[in-house]
Amino acid sequence: MGRGKRADLIVHEGLPFNAEPPGEVLATGEITALDTFYCRNHGAFPHIPPQQWRVRVEGMVDKPLTLTYEQLTNGFSAHSVVATLVCAGNRRAELLKVRPIPGKDPWAHGAISTAEWRGARLADILDAAGVCHEDGLHVAFNAPDVAPEASPVQAYGGSIPLSKAMSSEVLLAWQMNSEPLPRVHGGPVRVVVPGYIGARSVKWVNTITVQPGPSENYFQALDYRILPAESDPDTAAPGEGISLSSLPLNCDILVPGDGAEIPAGPLTIHGWALAGDGRGIGRVDVSVDGGHTWRQADLQPATSRWSWRLWSLTVEAQSGPMTLTARAWDDTGATQPESPAALWNPRGYANNAWAQVEVTVLPCSPDPTNHRPAEKPTSELRPPS
Amino acid sequence: MGRGKRADLIVHEGLPFNAEPPGEVLATGEITALDTFYCRNHGAFPHIPPQQWRVRVEGMVDKPLTLTYEQLTNGFSAHSVVATLVCAGNRRAELLKVRPIPGKDPWAHGAISTAEWRGARLADILDAAGVCHEDGLHVAFNAPDVAPEASPVQAYGGSIPLSKAMSSEVLLAWQMNSEPLPRVHGGPVRVVVPGYIGARSVKWVNTITVQPGPSENYFQALDYRILPAESDPDTAAPGEGISLSSLPLNCDILVPGDGAEIPAGPLTIHGWALAGDGRGIGRVDVSVDGGHTWRQADLQPATSRWSWRLWSLTVEAQSGPMTLTARAWDDTGATQPESPAALWNPRGYANNAWAQVEVTVLPCSPDPTNHRPAEKPTSELRPPS
């Protein structure tokens, strides 16, 4: 593919390049390999050699400045954060079963991945620029990639509240899993906003503006918003609906996959849970009877509070159709809505309904070659090479 | 009643005094009158004249101190915060329809009220005591009221994270709606922790302890926790389940009341919405067809981000049974779970399912004396005198 990506990615669009890994390969470990990490783009990748990259910091700052790659990477302390990025459209496929969503990709279970990001704290850069500390300000990011889907056509951008921008987890990152940030993921330098929808982690960032209100960029003012179900997204006004920012409490089932055929007997279910914007996961429940009764999954520890918690549970699968359901509770005792039908919205964002996959359990077979990938026991799942 | 409370409170217990106003009287305005504000207690009220009240600040502080009422009220800047307090058991009645919860009061719609609190910032008092600023510390509150329901019997207490305790909205309050804090609400001085379950706003506080972990008090370590549905609360170990802290996104319908008989014609529905711990409300949806279709309610502004948003919507009521449903969305695009059945927990806490009331719409009658209170139009609802 020329992008350093594994061959089994599910490609929704070639240009802009939008692709997700099969859910089950995400279950192999907390950190997602570079060749597996999902790709969500709105335009063609810009090609910016590090020595040509610049970022301008301007707006409500005392000392507007322009940083080169050299100045950014050598002039500020480097910090690492393990953080999960999630596309706001992840799990849209379940919303599409409720009602069509024209013009939007049917992201399934894989528009989510986790990396160790390394870079400078955005707060340090804003401080170097003498940022104004008034309440209620926003920090807007602009990038050079032009998005044909925007109306009018424009370069990609977005913004976050200044209070979030000043938090220690928000980086201008130039490394991903100890490698130079790949071009496909925003290299040489991108914003990483842990706990927020992926759309705010602007790739190839070239301008950072401190300003009184949110960005007026199409992707902040019009897209990435929850509209009421009856709204027409084509005629919605800028600012209509609820702007997406911090992630909702969510979880998903990665193994087995939707529609998998699995042998009767012990079945280990794998998935992730994430509470959004730094909250913790209190519990993950798994049901094999559609949510009537629940068992608690085993939660793996997370490297940071910005990273997903992988979980697993072994149940006894009996032959016939089987519905697997999962739901997470955060550390304040809140849990997820039940049904995608109640969450359907015209742009298909932020589906955080109970996770549900349907599988078929086959009578026990002595022939392991009958098994599809999704039924492999954990020990056979290997990190992608 | 000798407690300065209106006669129509629904009294669940006389001692400890536990009582809630009828839901519809809460709809009359953002601020709840003192005689209407709900009462949730675990023991007999202590009688502490202001001149005898003391609070001890101790634990991980450089300069432990004891403050008199005079020192607290004259030695620190006074701040006002309009904040809603909610009992974690509010809306338990809906959980009781799912499955019984022995030993717990059937709070309906009224274990929530809003006041303007005035007092000193807890942060200022902790700073005066030279609080240790390590990450992860907690601030425990103790009070003199002894709770017979605790095991073993003990005085009431609880704790909050130090990071919350240092937030500007957390007060040691001595005034409520510009009156001296009534004894029934924790006077002369109580803690007010906006955005958290009411149980952490400890009344008649006498000890504040900065410590490495949460309080070991019965009401922090054992009660006020979300246990899995299958757990036995009588044998749960300390620390089991998810400790309740910041409130979940929630809303309720206050007018009309459950089971009300209303005349056909225009019906104005009133309710509240609150996102918990300072988040905003993005939208409130109301449905008259069980959640199949929704209309957006009109949201009243709130005085502070710690106060509920009252909302209303006028619909056309046609004769026959009618189910009214409401749900709120917060300003990050998250919404509430659908059904109390999925939220049932052994102690009956934190029900934040879609609000739902059943009413009967009578064919239009010219005789207004047929109307029950819940069907009065808004203009007839008066603040309690």
Side-chain angles (χ1 to χ4, degrees):
Chain A
M1 307 175 73
R3 302 183 178 100
K5 289 289 167 182
R6 54 192 293 153
D8 61 355
L9 285 199
I10 302 159
V11 178
H12 296 295
E13 295 178 82
L15 181 65
F17 184 56
N18 285 306
E20 62 180 305
E24 58 263 33
V25 304
L26 290 172
T28 51
E30 183 186 10
I31 303 289
T32 312
L34 291 187
D35 73 346
T36 305
F37 204 101
Y38 82 99
C39 299
R40 171 72 181 106
N41 292 287
H42 297 84
F45 303 144
H47 175 62
I48 312 168
Q51 64 275 20
Q52 288 175 18
W53 177 86
R54 302 283 184 280
V55 70
R56 173 83 183 155
V57 184
E58 59 186 27
M60 299 174 72
V61 297
D62 288 337
K63 298 165 281 182
L65 52 83
T66 299
L67 295 175
T68 65
Y69 184 84
E70 173 72 15
Q71 288 168 326
L72 176 73
T73 56
N74 289 327
F76 295 87
S77 298
H79 298 271
S80 293
V81 176
V82 173
T84 299
L85 292 191
V86 200
C87 174
N90 192 38
R91 303 188 57 200
R92 181 183 286 137
E94 298 155 65
L95 298 176
L96 292 171
K97 292 179 190 168
V98 178
R99 214 196 301 179
I101 300 173
K104 294 287 187 184
D105 289 330
W107 298 96
H109 303 278
I112 179 169
S113 299
T114 301
E116 182 183 42
W117 310 93
R118 188 166 177 82
R121 286 184 176 147
L122 179 56
D124 291 346
I125 291 151
L126 292 172
D127 277 338
V131 63
C132 172
H133 281 288
E134 283 172 28
D135 280 353
L137 298 185
H138 291 251
V139 178
F141 309 116
N142 269 85
D145 53 321
V146 174
E149 72 185 272
S151 174
V153 170
Q154 59 198 275
Y156 189 81
S159 63
I160 60 175
L162 176 61
S163 55
K164 177 69 178 178
M166 297 303 292
S167 293
S168 60
E169 70 276 6
V170 179
L171 302 180
L172 285 200
W174 58 81
Q175 276 189 11
M176 186 177 175
N177 295 352
S178 305
E179 300 283 336
L181 185 67
R183 181 184 170 207
V184 64
H185 290 298
V189 177
R190 74 179 297 171
V191 187
V192 174
V193 186
Y196 269 41
I197 62 164
R200 308 306 177 212
S201 289
V202 174
K203 298 188 284 291
W204 314 289
V205 61
N206 61 16
T207 315
I208 297 171
T209 310
V210 181
Q211 56 189 51
S215 171
E216 295 182 358
N217 187 280
Y218 174 83
F219 295 97
Q220 186 79 40
L222 274 151
D223 206 330
Y224 293 117
R225 305 182 80 93
I226 300 283
L227 292 173
E230 68 280 8
S231 286
D232 177 354
D234 293 333
T235 60
E240 205 172 309
I242 304 170
S243 179
L244 291 165
S245 56
S246 75
L247 295 164
L249 172 66
N250 210 339
C251 77
D252 204 0
I253 295 168
L254 297 172
V255 178
D258 273 316
E261 297 182 340
I262 56 173
L267 166 68
T268 301
I269 306 164
H270 296 264
W272 61 264
L274 185 63
D277 209 16
R279 286 194 173 175
I281 291 293
R283 196 170 96 208
V284 171
D285 295 337
V286 175
S287 174
V288 295
D289 59 10
H292 189 66
T293 60
W294 302 89
R295 283 179 54 196
Q296 290 182 54
D298 297 315
L299 279 166
Q300 288 183 26
T303 303
S304 87
R305 65 191 185 112
W306 308 105
S307 183
W308 58 9
R309 301 281 302 268
L310 296 182
W311 55 262
S312 63
L313 182 71
T314 301
V315 301
E316 195 65 22
Q318 297 184 329
S319 64
M322 189 177 188
T323 300
L324 306 174
T325 308
R327 65 174 179 187
W329 300 72
D330 74 17
D331 58 10
T332 72
T335 190
Q336 301 172 229
E338 292 150 58
S339 156
L343 298 177
W344 190 94
N345 60 90
R347 290 200 179 91
Y349 287 130
N351 175 19
N352 74 328
W354 291 358
Q356 207 154 64
V357 304
E358 310 280 347
V359 298
T360 302
V361 183
L362 305 172
C364 212
S365 153
D367 177 3
T369 62
N370 283 351
H371 297 180
R372 292 174 39 165
E375 68 197 69
K376 286 183 184 173
T378 327
S379 58
E380 292 179 33
L381 287 172
R382 295 264 176 274
S385 55
Chain B
M1 306 174 72
R3 301 183 181 100
K5 289 289 167 182
R6 55 192 291 152
D8 60 356
L9 284 200
I10 302 159
V11 178
H12 297 294
E13 295 177 82
L15 181 65
F17 184 57
N18 284 306
E20 62 180 304
E24 60 262 34
V25 303
L26 290 172
T28 51
E30 183 186 9
I31 302 291
T32 312
L34 291 188
D35 73 346
T36 305
F37 203 102
Y38 81 98
C39 299
R40 171 71 181 106
N41 292 286
H42 297 84
F45 304 144
H47 175 63
I48 312 168
Q51 64 274 21
Q52 287 175 20
W53 178 85
R54 301 283 184 280
V55 70
R56 174 81 183 156
V57 184
E58 59 186 26
M60 299 174 72
V61 296
D62 288 339
K63 298 165 281 183
L65 53 83
T66 300
L67 295 174
T68 64
Y69 184 84
E70 173 73 14
Q71 288 168 325
L72 176 74
T73 56
N74 289 327
F76 295 87
S77 299
H79 298 270
S80 293
V81 177
V82 172
T84 299
L85 294 192
V86 199
C87 175
N90 192 38
R91 303 187 59 201
R92 181 183 287 139
E94 298 155 64
L95 299 176
L96 291 171
K97 292 178 190 169
V98 178
R99 214 194 304 178
I101 301 173
K104 294 286 187 186
D105 288 331
W107 298 97
H109 303 278
I112 179 168
S113 299
T114 301
E116 182 184 42
W117 309 93
R118 188 166 176 83
R121 287 184 174 146
L122 179 57
D124 291 346
I125 291 151
L126 292 172
D127 277 338
V131 63
C132 172
H133 280 289
E134 283 173 28
D135 280 353
L137 298 184
H138 292 250
V139 177
F141 309 116
N142 269 84
D145 53 320
V146 174
E149 76 191 83
S151 174
V153 170
Q154 59 197 276
Y156 189 80
S159 63
I160 61 175
L162 176 61
S163 55
K164 178 69 178 178
M166 295 304 291
S167 293
S168 61
E169 70 276 7
V170 179
L171 302 180
L172 285 200
W174 59 80
Q175 276 189 12
M176 186 178 176
N177 296 352
S178 305
E179 300 282 337
L181 185 67
R183 180 184 171 206
V184 63
H185 291 298
V189 177
R190 74 179 296 171
V191 187
V192 174
V193 186
Y196 269 41
I197 60 164
R200 308 306 178 213
S201 289
V202 174
K203 297 188 285 290
W204 313 289
V205 61
N206 61 17
T207 314
I208 298 171
T209 310
V210 181
Q211 56 188 51
S215 170
E216 295 182 358
N217 186 281
Y218 174 83
F219 295 97
Q220 186 80 41
L222 274 151
D223 206 330
Y224 292 117
R225 305 183 82 91
I226 299 284
L227 293 173
E230 68 279 8
S231 287
D232 178 354
D234 293 333
T235 59
E240 206 172 308
I242 303 170
S243 178
L244 291 165
S245 56
S246 75
L247 295 164
L249 173 65
N250 211 340
C251 77
D252 204 0
I253 296 169
L254 297 172
V255 177
D258 272 316
E261 296 181 342
I262 57 173
L267 166 68
T268 301
I269 306 165
H270 296 264
W272 61 265
L274 185 62
D277 209 16
R279 287 195 173 174
I281 291 294
R283 196 172 97 209
V284 170
D285 295 337
V286 175
S287 175
V288 295
D289 60 9
H292 189 65
T293 61
W294 302 89
R295 284 179 54 196
Q296 291 183 54
D298 297 315
L299 280 167
Q300 288 183 26
T303 304
S304 87
R305 65 191 185 113
W306 307 106
S307 182
W308 59 9
R309 301 282 301 270
L310 297 182
W311 55 262
S312 62
L313 182 71
T314 301
V315 300
E316 194 64 24
Q318 296 183 330
S319 64
M322 189 179 189
T323 300
L324 306 174
T325 308
R327 65 174 179 187
W329 299 72
D330 73 18
D331 58 11
T332 72
T335 191
Q336 301 174 228
E338 292 150 58
S339 156
L343 299 177
W344 190 95
N345 60 91
R347 289 199 180 91
Y349 287 131
N351 175 20
N352 74 328
W354 292 358
Q356 208 154 64
V357 305
E358 310 280 346
V359 299
T360 302
V361 183
L362 306 173
C364 211
S365 154
D367 177 5
T369 61
N370 282 351
H371 298 180
R372 291 175 41 164
E375 70 198 67
K376 286 183 184 175
T378 326
S379 60
E380 293 181 32
L381 287 171
R382 295 263 176 276
S385 55

